[in-house]
Amino acid sequence: MFLKDEDGIMGSPKEEDFDATIVGTRAETEGLRKSVASLVIVRGADIGKQFLIRRNSLIIGRSDSADIMLRDKRISRSHAKIDVQYELQKKKTSYSIFDLGSTNHVYVNGKQIQSHMLSNDDKIQLGDTIIKFEIQDKIDSKFHADIQRRLKYDDLTALLTYESFKDAMSWEIENARARSKTFVLLMMDLDDFKKVNDTYGHLAGSFILQEIGKLINDNLRFFDISARYGGEEFISFLPDLNRQEAFHAAERLRKSIADSIFIHNNKELSITISIGVSQFPDNGLTLEELVRSADEMLYKAKREGKNRVSL
């Protein structure tokens, strides 16, 4: 994904655009914290990347001539337009998105739209790409820019690596604290995975892990974040949910995996998963505390017979 400016192609905000270190007068500090609008990729090939909205109108699409070019085959050449309007009397800027007659439509927060006035945290879906609209101060934007440089995917499962997950979560936790929001973590572990490797070989085991990565993405929401924690363990971040709501999401995923038959070398394979759930801030204020709490619930699920979700 690239954002074109008058001066050429640009990606995330550059280092020289602003500095996260605040040194100066109060007026200078307030200027640094002035709100800016941005688009942050939360699902797609460029997860974590952010793009500042600097013009009165931006075309989003697959074409090289689009202001924001998305490398997504399900996106039309000119898919959507974002308009920016400044109301002088109210001293307020508004942002709207319009569908430009795209083949696969524009969705905001899961609903198909023709036009929509954007609000902070709106989730925009174009093809298989999910973009979050955010009103940030420049310090938040700088932080996002630093994060996206380090994000990497696990080659086998196509989920984030855990190191990248931790980078993404550092901002999400600060955001939840600042806005008094809840979220949950799911810690997941395949049951008796060693038996698959021992019985059918490591190629079959790798195939199972690949398929589990797909099922995790397919059964959670498009803006949830998932990673391979290590080996046959996985972790997911589900924003704006409490424990009970997360239980239903986790149970849907558990059942989907348990009901799946995986065909490898003409052999039918099956496997189950155990899931532990923790909630911010009740079960911890840091990622380490939340992982520890979810891990305890995961092993409780294992002790109680596996193939279950434990709160």
Side-chain angles (χ1 to χ4, degrees):
M1 176 176 178
F2 301 94
L3 178 59
K4 292 182 180 178
D5 210 347
E6 287 84 351
D7 299 327
I9 296 177
M10 54 176 287
S12 307
K14 297 177 181 178
E15 193 76 26
E16 58 267 26
D17 287 344
F18 40 77
D19 190 337
T21 304
I22 303 175
V23 179
T25 65
R26 179 171 180 175
E28 290 169 338
T29 299
E30 290 302 317
L32 179 62
R33 287 192 171 275
K34 183 179 180 181
S35 293
V36 294
S38 66
L39 301 172
V40 180
I41 307 300
V42 296
R43 187 170 187 182
D46 296 303
I47 186 171
K49 285 189 177 180
Q50 67 159 340
F51 301 85
L52 302 185
I53 300 176
R54 305 183 181 208
R55 297 184 180 184
N56 293 330
S57 180
L58 290 170
I59 303 297
I60 305 174
R62 189 163 42 86
S63 170
D64 290 343
S65 63
D67 298 300
I68 299 177
M69 184 174 69
L70 295 169
R71 299 184 185 278
D72 183 332
K73 292 180 180 179
R74 297 191 64 244
I75 288 177
S76 299
R77 292 178 61 80
S78 294
H79 198 108
K81 179 175 75 169
I82 291 183
D83 272 349
V84 183
Q85 291 188 341
Y86 180 71
E87 300 177 49
L88 185 60
Q89 291 182 340
K90 296 182 180 180
K91 294 183 178 179
K92 179 183 178 182
T93 304
S94 61
Y95 304 86
S96 299
I97 187 168
F98 299 87
D99 189 338
L100 296 178
S102 62
T103 301
N104 292 312
H105 313 298
V106 176
Y107 296 84
V108 177
N109 301 326
K111 295 181 180 179
Q112 184 182 336
I113 60 96
Q114 293 300 317
S115 64
H116 178 84
M117 183 172 289
L118 292 166
S119 299
N120 192 37
D121 285 342
D122 274 351
K123 312 299 188 303
I124 304 165
Q125 181 174 4
L126 309 176
D128 291 325
T129 301
I130 309 301
I131 308 169
K132 182 161 68 171
F133 173 79
E134 292 190 344
I135 303 294
Q136 306 171 330
D137 62 34
K138 290 188 176 182
I139 293 173
D140 285 335
S141 296
K142 171 64 165 59
F143 192 67
H144 259 309
D146 290 341
I147 285 175
Q148 67 87 15
R149 294 188 192 106
R150 300 194 297 270
L151 289 181
K152 292 183 174 64
Y153 288 88
D154 175 63
D155 290 336
L156 187 59
T157 64
L159 303 177
L160 286 177
T161 64
Y162 185 58
E163 288 302 313
S164 294
F165 181 86
K166 286 196 295 184
D167 283 339
M169 283 301 300
S170 60
W171 183 85
E172 294 289 357
I173 289 174
E174 289 303 319
N175 185 50
R177 282 177 180 158
R179 301 182 185 183
S180 300
K181 290 186 174 182
T182 63
F183 66 81
V184 297
L185 285 188
L186 307 182
M187 284 294 296
M188 300 169 276
D189 184 64
L190 295 178
D191 299 322
D192 302 316
F193 182 70
K194 186 175 183 297
K195 290 182 180 178
V196 174
N197 284 330
D198 291 346
T199 306
Y200 301 101
H202 289 281
L203 287 179
S206 294
F207 172 74
I208 290 288
L209 291 173
Q210 188 177 44
E211 295 301 304
I212 294 299
K214 294 177 185 177
L215 286 171
I216 289 173
N217 269 335
D218 290 345
N219 282 277
L220 298 182
R221 299 170 302 174
F222 55 74
F223 51 85
D224 297 330
I225 301 173
S226 299
R228 186 180 181 187
Y229 188 75
E232 64 270 23
E233 288 187 291
F234 305 89
I235 186 169
S236 292
F237 160 75
L238 283 60
D240 303 321
L241 294 185
N242 59 37
R243 269 189 300 265
Q244 200 57 44
E245 292 168 330
F247 174 83
H248 294 300
E251 180 63 19
R252 181 176 63 248
L253 172 58
R254 181 207 63 77
K255 188 175 187 302
S256 176
I257 291 173
D259 291 346
S260 294
I261 301 296
F262 307 102
I263 308 297
H264 182 261
N265 286 343
N266 296 320
K267 295 178 181 177
E268 293 187 355
L269 311 178
S270 61
I271 200 162
T272 61
I273 197 167
S274 296
I275 304 175
V277 182
S278 65
Q279 177 182 308
F280 175 90
D282 296 10
N283 301 129
L285 298 176
T286 67
L287 179 59
E288 291 75 15
E289 291 171 345
L290 292 164
V291 167
R292 189 181 308 120
S293 177
D295 214 33
E296 290 173 0
M297 292 302 98
L298 169 60
Y299 284 100
K300 180 174 181 284
K302 294 281 191 181
R303 290 193 303 271
E304 292 178 350
K306 306 176 183 177
N307 189 26
R308 63 190 64 210
V309 178
S310 181
L311 298 179

